[in-house]
C-alpha cells in the first residue's frame, strides 16, 4: 500500500455566496414599512496551510476533491445570512502549488504559511441595502457569487539542508540511520528506499536536516528507475553528498565512474550546479573496501572534491563528515541575506482607468472587467427590475458610452464575461434612468417590449379590469328606474 505521495492533482471548490433577500416589512398599524431584506453570507474559501506534522500528500491522493461550505441566504428583518466556513487543508513544508499548465501559484515553506487556493463567493445584497432616495422599495435582491473552483497540482519538495545521492544500495539509508534518529528500511537489494527519508543531525551548535534520496541510475533524469520522481527533493538542499560504494561487485563500476554518472544525471536535471559537493567513500569496513578507497581518493581530490572515508557499520569517519556538512550549512545560513518584512505597496487605480474594456470579436462586442462580470453574475434575470438595475449600473460605469465609441449600434451582440461563463444579449441603448420608469415592484417598463410573457399577463389583467368595469356599470344601470320611460307619453304601439 502506498504510504508516501509527493505529487497530487486536487480539485478545490470554494463555497457560493448566499443570495440577498427581497422583503418588505409588514406589521399591523405600520404601513409602508419599507424594504428589510438582509444580505447573503459569504462563501467559505479553500486554504492550504503548512503543518509541520504533515509529511506526505497521501490524504489528497485518496480524496482529490475538496469543497468549502456555502454562505446562507439573507432573510427579512435585516437578517444577514451566516458566512460559510473556510476549509483549511494541511500540507507538508515545501509544497509547491501549480495550475494544470505548470505555472507556479505558491511555494509554501515554513510552518503556518498559507495560500488561498479558491476564494469564496461574495454574498448578494438584500433589497434593504439596494434602496435609495430614487428607488425606495426595490423588488429584487442580488444573487450570491459562485465560489471559485479550479484544479491545482501540488508537488512536495523536501526542505532539507543536505541531500545524500548515489547509486541504489550505496549505503545512504544506513548513513542517515546512524547519524540521525531516522529509521529507514535497510536491506541488501537495490531500490530498498522508495521514498525520501529525513533525519535531523546535530554537530556542535549546528542543527541541520539530511535527506536520503532514492537511488539514482543512468537515465534517471529521463525517467529511468525512481530518480526522476524524487530528484525534486534535492532542489532545496544546500549541500550534495555523493555516497560512493567501495564494495560493489558489479562489473564496470567503481567510485569514480559512479560519481561521473550521478553528476551527469544531476546536470541534465538542471539547477544544481551551484551546490557545494562532498564525497563519502562508504563501506571501508568490508574486505577490499579500504583498498578501493585508497586507490580512488587521490583521483577524486584532483577533481576538486573533499573526500571522507566512512563506514556506517563501524561508524568510522562519520564525525568528520558530520562536522564538514555542518560547516557548509552554517556558512550558507550566514551568507543568506536577512529577509526584511514585506512592504505593503499601495497602487491606486489610474485616473483614466475605467475598470473595463470593450473589444470587437467576430462581429460581437465583448465587455471584460471585474465589476461588469461580477454584476452580471449577481443579477436575477427573471426579475425585470433587477435587469433594469443592471442596465443602469452599466450605464453609470460608462459601458454604453464605450460601446458607442467602438462603433456598436442598436441590435448588435454584446458579450459580458469570459467564454465559459458569458452573458450574451442584443444591445438596446438605455434612453432614460430606471428609477423613474419603475412600475410595480419587480417590474421595469423599459423591458416591456422584451418580455412577451409580461405583456400577456398585463393584457389579461386589462381584460379582467374592463370586464369588471362593464359589470359594475350594468349593475348601476339596472338598480335605477328608467326615468325616460313614461307610459303616459307612449303611444299604443309603443306600449
Amino acid at each position: 500500500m502506498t504510504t508516501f505521495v509527493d505529487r497530487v492533482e486536487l480539485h478545490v471548490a470554494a463555497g457560493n455566496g448566499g443570495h440577498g433577500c427581497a422583503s418588505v416589512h409588514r406589521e399591523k398599524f405600520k404601513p409602508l414599512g419599507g424594504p428589510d431584506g438582509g444580505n447573503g453570507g459569504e462563501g467559505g474559501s479553500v486554504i492550504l496551510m503548512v503543518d509541520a506534522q504533515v509529511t506526505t500528500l497521501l490524504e489528497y491522493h485518496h480524496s482529490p476533491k475538496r469543497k468549502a461550505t456555502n454562505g446562507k441566504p439573507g432573510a427579512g428583518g435585516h437578517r444577514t445570512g451566516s458566512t460559510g466556513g473556510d476549509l483549511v487543508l494541511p500540507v507538508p513544508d515545501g509544497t509547491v502549488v501549480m495550475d494544470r499548465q505548470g505555472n507556479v501559484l505558491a511555494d509554501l515553506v515554513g510552518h503556518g504559511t498559507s495560500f488561498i487556493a479558491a476564494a469564496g463567493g461574495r454574498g448578494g445584497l438584500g433589497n434593504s441595502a439596494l434602496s435609495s432616495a430614487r428607488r425606495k422599495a426595490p423588488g429584487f435582491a442580488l444573487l450570491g457569487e459562485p465560489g471559485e473552483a479550479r484544479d491545482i497540482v501540488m508537488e512536495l519538495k523536501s526542505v532539507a539542508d543536505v541531500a545524500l545521492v548515489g547509486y541504489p544500495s550505496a549505503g545512504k539509508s544506513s548513513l542517515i540511520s546512524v547519524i540521525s534518529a531516522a529509521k529507514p528500511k535497510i536491506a541488501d537489494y537495490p531500490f530498498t528506499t522508495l521514498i525520501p527519508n529525513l533525519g535531523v543531525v546535530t554537530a556542535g551548535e549546528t542543527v541541520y536536516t539530511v535527506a536520503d534520496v532514492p537511488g539514482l541510475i543512468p537515465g534517471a533524469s529521463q525517467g529511468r528507475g525512481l530518480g526522476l520522481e524524487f530528484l525534486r527533493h534535492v532542489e532545496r538542499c544546500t549541500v550534495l553528498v555523493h555516497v560512493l560504494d567501495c564494495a560493489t561487485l558489479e562489473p564496470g563500476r567503481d567510485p569514480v565512474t559512479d560519481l561521473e554518472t550521478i553528476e551527469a544525471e544531476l546536470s541534465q536535471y538542471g539547477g544544481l550546479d551551484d551546490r557545494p559537493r562532498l564525497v563519502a567513500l562508504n563501506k571501508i569496513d568490508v574486505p577490499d573496501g579500504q583498498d578501493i578507497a585508497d586507490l580512488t581518493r587521490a583521483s577524486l581530490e584532483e577533481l576538486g572534491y573533499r573526500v571522507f572515508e566512512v563506514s556506517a557499520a563501524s561508524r568510522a569517519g562519520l564525525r568528520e563528515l558530520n562536522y564538514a556538512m555542518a560547516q557548509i550549512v552554517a556558512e550558507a545560513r550566514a551568507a543568506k541575506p536577512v529577509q526584511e518584512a514585506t512592504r505593503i505597496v499601495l497602487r491606486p487605480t489610474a485616473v483614466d482607468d475605467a475598470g473595463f474594456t470593450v473589444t470587437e470579436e467576430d462581429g460581437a462586442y465583448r465587455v471584460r472587467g471585474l465589476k461588469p462580470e461580477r454584476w452580471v453574475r449577481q443579477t436575477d434575470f427573471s426579475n425585470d427590475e433587477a435587469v433594469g438595475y443592471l442596465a443602469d449600473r452599466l450605464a453609470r460605469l460608462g459601458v454604453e458610452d464605450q460601446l458607442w465609441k467602438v462603433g456598436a449600434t442598436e441590435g448588435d451582440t454584446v458579450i459580458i464575461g469570459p467564454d465559459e461563463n458569458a452573458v450574451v444579449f442584443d444591445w438596446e441603448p438605455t434612453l432614460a434612468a430606471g428609477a423613474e420608469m419603475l412600475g410595480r415592484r419587480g417590474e421595469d417598463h423599459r423591458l416591456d417590449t422584451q418580455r412577451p410573457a409580461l405583456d400577456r399577463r398585463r393584457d389579461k389583467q386589462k381584460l379582467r379590469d374592463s370586464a369588471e368595469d362593464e359589470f359594475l356599470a350594468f349593475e348601476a344601470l339596472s338598480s335605477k328606474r328608467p326615468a325616460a320611460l313614461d307610459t303616459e307619453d307612449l303611444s299604443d304601439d309603443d306600449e
Side-chain angles (χ1 to χ4, degrees), residues 420-451:
E420 60 273 11
N421 188 22
V423 173
V424 183
F425 59 92
D426 294 333
W427 182 44
E428 182 176 344
T430 302
L431 299 179
E436 62 270 20
M437 300 294 293
L438 297 177
R440 294 179 297 182
R441 293 179 65 247
E443 297 182 359
D444 191 319
H445 292 170
R446 294 173 298 174
L447 304 177
D448 289 353
T449 58
Q450 303 175 12
R451 308 289 290 182

Side-chain angles (χ1 to χ4, degrees), residues 10-17 43-46 64-68 70 98-101 105 115-121 145-153 377 418 420-421:
L10 190 65
H11 178 77
V12 292
N16 301 327
S45 300
V46 179
K65 295 183 178 180
R66 301 301 177 98
K67 187 180 188 308
N70 299 329
M98 300 177 291
D99 58 17
R100 296 291 293 273
Q101 290 72 38
L105 304 177
F115 168 69
I116 300 178
E145 266 193 295
E148 186 179 6
R150 61 179 173 180
D151 295 324
I152 60 175
V153 178
R377 289 194 298 267
E420 60 273 11
N421 188 22

Side-chain angles (χ1 to χ4, degrees), residues 225-253:
L226 301 176
L228 182 62
E229 293 296 325
F230 298 107
L231 273 173
R232 71 172 70 97
H233 290 276
V234 305
E235 291 184 14
R236 302 183 190 274
C237 297
T238 304
V239 187
L240 297 180
V241 178
H242 287 280
V243 181
L244 305 179
D245 189 354
C246 292
T248 179
L249 300 178
E250 295 183 25
R253 280 190 55 192

Side-chain angles (χ1 to χ4, degrees), residues 119-344:
R122 292 189 180 188
L125 296 179
N127 65 343
S128 176
L130 296 173
S131 62
S132 63
R134 299 173 60 188
R135 194 185 301 266
K136 298 183 181 299
F140 68 98
L142 298 185
L143 303 178
E145 266 193 295
E148 186 179 6
R150 61 179 173 180
D151 295 324
I152 60 175
V153 178
M154 295 193 296
E155 284 189 353
L156 174 59
K157 297 182 180 180
S158 298
V159 182
D161 299 303
V162 180
L164 305 181
V165 296
Y167 265 77
S169 298
K172 301 184 297 298
S173 298
S174 299
L175 278 179
I176 198 173
S177 68
V178 296
I179 66 177
S180 71
K183 300 299 179 185
K185 181 179 179 181
I186 300 173
D188 58 352
Y189 55 85
F191 297 113
T192 304
T193 302
L194 299 177
I195 64 175
N197 297 298
L198 291 178
V200 180
V201 182
T202 301
E205 297 180 354
T206 305
V207 179
Y208 59 95
T209 55
V210 179
D212 165 24
V213 182
L216 303 178
I217 62 174
S221 59
Q222 279 74 43
R224 292 191 62 194
L226 301 176
L228 182 62
E229 293 296 325
F230 298 107
L231 273 173
R232 71 172 70 97
H233 290 276
V234 305
E235 291 184 14
R236 302 183 190 274
C237 297
T238 304
V239 187
L240 297 180
V241 178
H242 287 280
V243 181
L244 305 179
D245 189 354
C246 292
T248 179
L249 300 178
E250 295 183 25
R253 280 190 55 192
D254 60 79
V256 177
T257 304
D258 290 354
L259 177 65
E260 293 175 350
T261 301
I262 300 303
E263 279 293 337
E265 296 303 322
L266 295 177
S267 178
Q268 291 184 25
Y269 183 76
L272 301 172
D273 295 337
D274 60 336
R275 311 299 165 84
R277 266 81 160 165
L278 298 178
V279 173
L281 296 173
N282 196 21
K283 303 182 182 179
I284 61 173
D285 59 295
V286 302
D288 299 330
Q290 183 64 60
D291 296 337
I292 294 177
D294 294 338
L295 291 174
T296 57
R297 177 166 188 152
S299 300
L300 295 173
E301 290 178 343
E302 290 179 359
L303 296 174
Y305 295 101
R306 292 179 62 186
V307 181
F308 298 86
E309 299 177 6
V310 300
S311 170
S314 64
R315 304 198 177 189
L318 294 183
R319 179 180 177 83
E320 293 79 5
L321 178 62
N322 288 347
Y323 276 87
M325 293 187 293
Q327 179 185 1
I328 298 177
V329 170
E331 292 175 354
R333 292 174 179 174
K336 187 176 181 179
V338 179
Q339 188 173 3
E340 299 180 357
T342 303
R343 297 179 61 187
I344 300 176

